[in-house]
Amino acid sequence: MKNKELKEIINKSLGKLDESYIVSPKHFDQPTETLSKATHESHFALYKNYVDSLNLISATLTSDVISNNSNSSAFRSLKVDETFNMNATYLHELYFANSFDPHSEILMESLAYIKISQSFGTFDDWQKSFISCAMSSRQGWVLTAYSLFLKKYYNFFIDSHVNNVPVGVYPVIVVDLNEHSYFKDLLNDKISYLYSQMKELRWSVIEERFEKAEEIAKIIR
């Protein structure tokens, strides 16, 4: 079957093949005692590049790219790049939003503290697990998330935006471990950077994510 014929069949079943969307970069106010303004500016610039790349992919997917003889390979390449840039954009937004609070504080009566303690045994055990996952990552991310499968919160790492990504999780805590996050200030001192980020987690934002995660948990139980 020719590609044109295949496209016609799909169009009859699903309507016009249109995967268009536009992602707008978000602004984050980032006071911090651990990283320089230069690091923040370069990090935001990188994030905006991911957003621009994602929008370019969206525009390309709406073109007639799948109607020629090379459509299978071209379409695959676009979808691979789409996932990479989408994950990079979303992870950066989650990280920026839950980070850089010099007055960071978590209350023992907060939902986040209670749920972390329930899932990991103690809050300290969560910290130890989080650090272990972070130090195991090879240029990527460390996350705490609610697992729809496990029905609990757990820690994991993602490498290079797209490797080791579990299915069915809702992220509540995200820390960027890529060297661009800290190299200008700390060179390759990853552990010092990690400790500084854990001290500056923005628990007000994280608390809202735990509230949403618990609403999700109620739906799937």
Side-chain angles (χ1 to χ4, degrees), residues 106 108 112-132 155 195 198 203:
I106 181 170
M108 294 181 67
Y113 189 96
I114 292 170
K115 290 300 177 180
I116 285 174
S117 299
Q118 288 177 348
S119 289
F120 292 89
T122 67
F123 188 82
D124 286 346
D125 287 336
W126 165 75
Q127 289 181 308
K128 293 175 183 177
S129 172
F130 196 79
I131 292 169
S132 295
N155 295 326
Y195 287 161
M198 293 178 72
W203 287 103

Side-chain angles (χ1 to χ4, degrees), residues 10-198:
I10 295 174
N11 282 341
K12 288 179 181 178
S13 300
L14 302 177
K16 181 183 176 183
L17 285 175
D18 187 350
E19 302 200 27
S20 177
Y21 51 81
I22 298 176
V23 177
S24 298
K26 296 180 180 178
H27 174 74
F28 299 92
D29 183 20
Q30 305 289 69
T32 177
E33 296 178 349
T34 58
L35 298 174
S36 66
K37 182 179 179 180
T39 292
H40 276 310
E41 289 178 347
S42 63
H43 206 167
F44 288 145
L46 179 65
Y47 154 68
K48 290 179 180 178
N49 284 338
Y50 287 127
V51 173
D52 290 343
S53 296
L54 188 57
N55 287 330
L56 178 59
I57 291 168
S58 170
T60 307
L61 284 170
T62 64
S63 70
D64 215 24
V65 69
I66 66 169
S67 65
N68 55 47
N69 291 331
S70 63
N71 96 63
S72 178
S73 177
F75 188 74
R76 172 184 167 82
S77 179
L78 281 169
K79 297 303 286 186
V80 168
D81 289 344
E82 180 185 40
T83 298
F84 181 88
N85 286 284
M86 185 182 298
N87 283 7
T89 297
Y90 184 43
L91 287 166
H92 274 99
E93 291 182 352
L94 290 170
Y95 164 65
F96 289 148
N98 75 196
S99 301
F100 310 119
D101 180 4
H103 308 292
S104 176
E105 182 180 23
I106 181 170
L107 303 177
M108 294 181 67
E109 62 267 27
S110 67
L111 180 64
Y113 189 96
I114 292 170
K115 290 300 177 180
I116 285 174
S117 299
Q118 288 177 348
S119 289
F120 292 89
T122 67
F123 188 82
D124 286 346
D125 287 336
W126 165 75
Q127 289 181 308
K128 293 175 183 177
S129 172
F130 196 79
I131 292 169
S132 295
C133 282
M135 298 309 292
S136 299
S137 172
R138 298 174 180 174
Q139 288 300 306
W141 305 80
V142 60
L143 298 88
T144 301
Y146 182 79
S147 168
L148 306 183
F149 176 67
L150 299 175
K151 295 181 172 55
K152 62 175 290 186
Y153 297 90
Y154 85 116
N155 295 326
F156 61 95
F157 59 82
I158 296 175
D159 289 331
S160 188
H161 307 324
V162 291
N163 295 327
N164 311 311
V165 181
V167 174
V169 298
Y170 180 80
V172 291
I173 302 173
V174 179
V175 174
D176 190 346
L177 298 170
N178 292 284
E179 285 189 353
H180 62 244
S181 304
Y182 57 89
F183 189 81
K184 289 179 182 292
D185 301 317
L186 301 170
L187 298 180
N188 62 349
D189 190 357
K190 180 179 176 180
I191 190 66
S192 293
Y193 161 75
L194 176 62
Y195 287 161
S196 73
Q197 296 308 287
M198 293 178 72

